[in-house]
Structure formats: structure tokens, C-alpha cells
Amino acid sequence: MATGRTHRPATRSRGIPEATVARLPLYLRALTALSERSVPTVSSEELAAAAGVNSAKLRKDFSYLGSYGTRGVGYDVEYLVYQISRELGLTQDWPVVIVGIGNLGAALANYGGFASRGFRVAALIDADPAMAGRPVAGIPVQHTDELEHIIESNGVSIGVIATPAGAAQQVCDRLVAAGVTSILNFAPTVLTVPDGVDVRKVDLSIELQILAFHEQRKAGEETGQESGQEGGTPTAVARAASAEADRKGPDGDVPAVMPA
Amino acid sequence: MATGRTHRPATRSRGIPEATVARLPLYLRALTALSERSVPTVSSEELAAAAGVNSAKLRKDFSYLGSYGTRGVGYDVEYLVYQISRELGLTQDWPVVIVGIGNLGAALANYGGFASRGFRVAALIDADPAMAGRPVAGIPVQHTDELEHIIESNGVSIGVIATPAGAAQQVCDRLVAAGVTSILNFAPTVLTVPDGVDVRKVDLSIELQILAFHEQRKAGEETGQESGQEGGTPTAVARAASAEADRKGPDGDVPAVMPA
DNA sequence: CTTTGTGAAAGACTTCACAGCC
DNA sequence: GGCTGTGAAGTCTTTCACAAAG
């Protein structure tokens, strides 16, 4: 989905399905909670419930990692935590840079879950000279001019983009040129990257629209109305269609959360 | 994925695949940009490129909505904007409440894309009495005690949870009890909701872990090493495993962005 | 008797490739 | 000639259901 292409032609087997990879962090979180409560083992049924998936799926997922369970008993919590952590690459340190320290960037910098699990905020970068030097979450913000230098001297391979949409592609290009190969994009834009670079996006607006779709569907079902061709409300649509234009300032973008 | 269940047993046809629904907002964004530039028509090829998908997929997606294109020509931009907006339910106003006005909640409240496209921030809610009355993004924060009242009097059906993980389920329960049927969850927890309620989650930590997985894989490939059973670094893992425990304060949760 | 691990079946999504219409 | 719309093929994902292991 967000993964440009997994890798070259065909790597030797051991291919864990993308859908499974996306669930491993979920299992890991549930397992960590169990570990804290010193629970020694879990059944696929219990763990699945804690992670919000069904047990067959969980067992199939784990089968791609190997046979780490014991029939009739379940899985050893500590051991599974270890195996999943290793599989996800969390046994090493990942220095991360956050570019765009607006409301959202600051929120991300303060995010506790960031620091845990091997992710370390190596630097905060912003284009606003007024921000430079000011500490956010205890880390001094650095100017965009330093970007390449920071990436290279810290060996950063993961970058988080929290800039306005208008600046995202440009920032992305610089990150990639400097050596970043994985990007988490919060700006509402499609980023173009060369092969070999992974991009994942988080887009509030898209999530809300998906919810609205289902919400509308529920409402229609309730009153028994088929959402066929009822003519709609053109006026309302016209408003929606021009909404984007409205928030666009003279030079293309108005800051805000992701924006700004 | 995040959708508990789409609906009852089987609604009368017209079922747009979930994967397609998830891409409609993407197309809509690209189309809106074209509309602003007064581009009258687009081919599936051009629009697909702008949305970052391939053209066959886009055509198939549009085919679920109906036949809105013209062979040999392409799609009428304005008309498509209208049709997609209507399909997504963006022709009506969706009052939204944001619960948990920490760093992240404030960032969301300030998000411009929120206000556009029919979403309107009806209220900001926080459990901290000190926050009450203070305006964020021009909207005064209200205390959690008001939650039910706010939901009911504003007819809110979409709620955004940006509280610490520890408070999320409780807030969720109250939102649902008060009538909310769609939830966007930023807290790193699995929410349990009754049938008929949709939950979508946005989880920074999970996205980073997925990136780390691919990043690790790239590194291994590069040096030609098979990531088989190299023993790993148990020490590092032990650290990662207990990370969650470390950030947990005396009373269960420390504020920050999502966590807090 | 319990619970895993997994072939096989079912289902969802994507891509191909081309007939059909402009 | 150009481009959409779509069956059919291909791929990925989930679910079933049960043999095998403890």
C-alpha cells in the first residue's frame, strides 16, 4: 500500500506477508502488557482477544515466524516478545528526525511511545528561523539548513514529515538525497520517491472521510432509504469542492496542524 | 481493518469494496486540486498518477460508482468531485468532538483540513479542569462532565479520541453511550465497541515499527546476510521489552502526546 | 483433553488485456 | 486513434477445520 516495492526481484523465501507485518506491532503491544503483569504464557485465543483479531489469523501470522508455541499450552510471553521484537528490527536503535515542528511536530516529539522500542528522536528540524534553538520536548530545534548534515552525521534512516503539504515533497527529496530510506508522512500529499524508499502516510482527513462514508451508510439503512439517485444537494457539494481553495493562502499553503 | 463490521448481514448490492472507499478521499484530493486549476477533464492515467495509484485500479474503483467517464476523453473533473463527495457523505455537515486536548488534541483542533469538507469541530473536551474555558483554535475547551450533554445537543456522531491510552476505553464507552457511532482513535489501545460502531485507529508507533521492519530488511539484503538465526542481541531486546513499563508513572499514565 | 500449526477452501483485491464507445 | 469499462486471471489475505503434539 504505502510500500513502494518491497525489494528487488525476489528475495529468498522467508517472506512474511505485509498484512502480517502490520499486525506484529499489535501483538507486541499486547504481549508487553502481559509481560508487565508477569503472565508467563498465553493461548492464541487470549492474545488474539487482547490484540483485537481472531485466533486463527494470529496463529497463521505466528506460523510465518516459526513454531514458537507449545500445543496444549500456548505461547511463552517473554520468548514471543523477543522473537517479534527481533523480527521487527526493534533490537537495534533507530535514530529518527522530525521535520516540521508545528503543532503536530511538537506533539510527535513529545510522544512517549517514540522513545521506547528503539526509536530515538535524533533531531527536530524546522524551516522557521525563529524556532531555531528553542527546545521542544527537551530537544533544541535546528534549522532546515542543517538537514543534510544532521542526517549524515547521525546515520538517520527514518524521517518523519510533519510540514505543510506544500513543503513536503521538497523536504522528502532532501531527506532521501541525504540518505533516508523510510519516511512517515503526515502531510496531506502524495510523495514521490525513488525505488527502494518506503513511504507510509498518516492522514487524518482521509480517515475521517472513510468514517463519514460508513456513517452515511448507517443513516441510510436505518431509514430504509436506498442511496440511489436522489439528486443530492448540489449546493452543499459546491461548498465542499471549493473548501480546499478557501484555506489556501497566497503562497499556496496555510499552516495549521499538519500544515503549518 | 479497523472497521468492526461493515453492517448487518448483507445489504442490497451497491457494495463498494472497502479498499476502494479508502482510496476515494485520495482521488477527491487530486480532483480538487485539478478543479482549482480549472482543468475540465482528466484521463484515468493522469488522475491515477496524481493520486499515486495505477490507472487500472482507478478505473475499476470508479466503475463501482457508475460510469462517469467518457471513452476517448476521460472524466469530467467537476462532475467526479461531486459524485465522490456525495458517495463519501461529504455533502452534509459532520459535527465532530475531540476528546483529550493535549499536544495532539490541540494539533488536531488546529488542523485546517478538518474544517473543510464538511467536518466541523463542534467541541473540544478535556478531563483537566484547568483546561476548561481556555480556547484552543478559537474553541473553548469544555470539561468531560459535559460530554454527554455536548454529544446529544449537537447531534454528534463522530468522535476523535486523543487521550492517554489509559483513558481511551472509558471515553469511548461514554461517547458510544451518548450516541457516537464512529470513532477515530489516536490512543495506542485496542478499543472494544458494540456492533454497529466503527472504529479507525491511527497509531504512530505501529507505523514506525512497520518502517523499521522494512528498513532492517533492506540493511540485511545490502550486506547479503540472511537474517536467519544469528543469535540476536538479547540485551537490547530486554530493554525494548520493558520500555513500556518505564514510561508508566505511578498512577498508570503519564501525559505526552497520545500517551500523556 | 487442550491448543498449536497448517493444508485447503473461500474471499478480497489487483492487474491484465481487450472489446466497445467516443 | 484514444480511453473507458470490465470480464477473466492472478495474487494476496482470511477463514475453516482438523491432524498432530503435549
Side-chain angles (χ1 to χ4, degrees):
Chain A
M1 188 179 282
T3 307
R5 52 207 280 33
T6 317
H7 32 37
R8 315 305 175 63
T11 315
R12 304 152 301 291
S13 60
R14 265 311 286 306
I16 298 179
E18 194 54 36
T20 295
V21 172
R23 282 187 295 267
L24 292 181
L26 228 55
Y27 301 144
L28 183 56
R29 180 177 293 156
L31 285 164
T32 304
L34 291 171
S35 170
E36 277 165 25
R37 292 169 37 214
S38 302
V39 176
T41 59
V42 245
S43 66
S44 60
E45 203 70 58
E46 294 166 324
L47 184 54
V53 303
N54 81 43
S55 64
K57 196 186 286 185
L58 178 143
R59 287 200 301 278
K60 180 63 93 176
D61 282 343
F62 285 179
S63 78
Y64 294 115
L65 308 184
S67 294
Y68 296 147
T70 306
R71 295 170 199 234
V73 179
Y75 300 90
D76 180 278
V77 173
E78 294 301 331
Y79 189 55
L80 248 192
V81 165
Y82 169 64
Q83 291 300 345
I84 295 179
S85 294
R86 189 170 61 86
E87 200 64 61
L88 285 172
L90 304 181
T91 56
Q92 58 189 283
D93 237 58
W94 295 104
V96 171
V97 297
I98 301 176
V99 186
I101 314 303
N103 261 309
L104 177 65
L108 297 177
N110 277 299
Y111 178 36
F114 228 139
S116 58
R117 302 208 189 296
F119 298 103
R120 180 170 50 82
V121 180
L124 303 179
I125 303 175
D126 197 281
D128 181 357
M131 291 288 293
R134 189 184 308 183
V136 171
I139 303 167
V141 175
Q142 292 175 268
H143 190 265
T144 316
D145 291 347
E146 307 290 328
L147 193 147
E148 286 76 10
H149 171 67
I150 294 167
I151 302 289
E152 282 153 31
S153 64
N154 289 78
V156 173
S157 55
I158 300 179
V160 176
I161 298 179
T163 66
Q169 182 64 59
Q170 192 179 319
V171 166
C172 174
D173 292 345
R174 288 182 64 182
L175 287 174
V176 170
V180 166
T181 46
S182 286
I183 291 177
L184 183 52
N185 179 33
F186 284 86
T189 325
V190 174
L191 293 180
T192 304
V193 294
D195 255 36
V197 176
D198 282 328
V199 176
R200 294 194 65 88
K201 65 164 182 299
V202 173
D203 193 320
L204 166 67
S205 167
I206 286 180
E207 299 300 324
L208 279 178
Q209 290 175 54
I210 295 171
L211 284 178
F213 172 86
H214 293 298
E215 198 57 42
Q216 172 181 240
R217 175 123 331 186
K218 285 177 207 161
E221 222 161 80
E222 212 161 78
T223 62
Q225 78 172 72
E226 172 60 271
S227 53
Q229 288 287 52
E230 7 64 51
T233 337
T235 327
V237 177
R239 175 188 42 64
S242 63
E244 197 112 84
D246 295 343
R247 15 180 296 273
K248 202 166 249 178
D251 48 340
D253 268 295
V254 178
V257 171
M258 305 181 172
Chain B
M1 188 177 281
T3 307
R5 50 207 283 32
T6 316
H7 32 36
R8 315 305 175 64
T11 314
R12 305 155 298 293
S13 61
R14 266 309 288 305
I16 299 178
E18 193 55 35
T20 294
V21 172
R23 280 187 296 267
L24 292 180
L26 228 54
Y27 301 144
L28 184 56
R29 180 177 292 155
L31 284 164
T32 304
L34 291 171
S35 170
E36 278 164 25
R37 292 168 39 214
S38 303
V39 176
T41 61
V42 245
S43 66
S44 61
E45 202 70 58
E46 295 166 323
L47 184 53
V53 303
N54 81 44
S55 65
K57 195 186 287 185
L58 178 144
R59 288 200 301 279
K60 178 66 90 177
D61 283 343
F62 285 178
S63 78
Y64 294 115
L65 308 183
S67 292
Y68 296 146
T70 307
R71 294 168 200 237
V73 179
Y75 300 91
D76 180 277
V77 173
E78 295 302 330
Y79 188 56
L80 248 193
V81 165
Y82 168 64
Q83 290 300 343
I84 295 179
S85 294
R86 188 170 61 85
E87 200 64 61
L88 285 172
L90 304 180
T91 57
Q92 58 189 285
D93 237 59
W94 295 105
V96 170
V97 297
I98 302 175
V99 186
I101 314 303
N103 260 309
L104 178 66
L108 298 177
N110 278 298
Y111 179 36
F114 227 139
S116 58
R117 301 208 190 298
F119 298 104
R120 179 170 51 81
V121 180
L124 303 180
I125 302 175
D126 198 280
D128 182 357
M131 291 288 293
R134 188 183 306 182
V136 170
I139 302 168
V141 175
Q142 293 176 268
H143 190 265
T144 316
D145 291 347
E146 308 290 327
L147 192 147
E148 285 75 12
H149 172 67
I150 295 167
I151 302 289
E152 282 153 32
S153 64
N154 288 78
V156 173
S157 55
I158 300 179
V160 176
I161 298 179
T163 66
Q169 182 64 59
Q170 191 179 321
V171 166
C172 174
D173 292 344
R174 287 181 64 181
L175 288 174
V176 170
V180 165
T181 46
S182 286
I183 291 177
L184 183 50
N185 180 31
F186 284 86
T189 325
V190 175
L191 293 180
T192 304
V193 294
D195 254 37
V197 176
D198 282 329
V199 176
R200 294 192 65 85
K201 66 164 180 301
V202 173
D203 193 320
L204 165 67
S205 167
I206 286 179
E207 299 300 323
L208 279 179
Q209 290 176 52
I210 295 171
L211 283 177
F213 172 86
H214 293 298
E215 198 58 41
Q216 171 181 241
R217 176 129 322 193
K218 285 177 208 161
E221 224 160 78
E222 212 161 78
T223 61
Q225 76 171 74
E226 172 59 274
S227 53
Q229 289 286 54
E230 7 66 49
T233 339
T235 326
V237 176
R239 175 188 41 63
S242 62
E244 198 111 84
D246 294 343
R247 11 180 299 272
K248 205 165 244 176
D251 47 339
D253 270 295
V254 177
V257 173
M258 304 176 180

